Amino acid sequence: WVQPDVTIPAGKAFKLALDNQDKGVPHDIVIRDGGGAVVWKSELVTGPAVVIYDVPAIPTGQYTFVCTVHANMIGTATAP
């Protein structure tokens, strides 16, 4: 990820852009809560492509986000 640590708005829907610049390579984004439960998930996007998602409101907290295809692509999302 270009930004492995991001801040998202707590309790408000927001837009999230998946900018996959890797030609012929699929990526997705899964946001998980502290217990590992999936809070939100995109579909797989094969690059190069940009997809903008409308993500529903997520409660205050700290979350991880990961690409399920590439487990080393992990980050932290904080909803203050």
Side-chain angles (χ1 to χ4, degrees):
W1 303 113
V2 172
Q3 285 185 266
D5 297 300
V6 297
T7 300
I8 58 177
K12 294 182 181 180
F14 62 97
K15 293 198 180 289
L16 184 143
L18 173 55
D19 182 0
N20 181 353
Q21 298 178 14
D22 298 327
K23 184 176 182 179
V25 178
H27 292 294
D28 64 359
I29 300 174
V30 176
I31 300 173
R32 294 187 175 138
D33 66 16
V38 174
V39 175
W40 181 83
K41 180 178 182 180
S42 75
E43 73 265 6
L44 284 174
V45 175
T46 301
V50 176
V51 180
I52 299 174
Y53 296 100
D54 290 310
V55 180
I58 293 176
T60 299
Q62 189 155 357
Y63 301 86
T64 58
F65 60 93
V66 64
C67 172
T68 61
V69 180
H70 306 97
N72 63 319
M73 293 178 66
I74 190 165
T76 301
T78 303

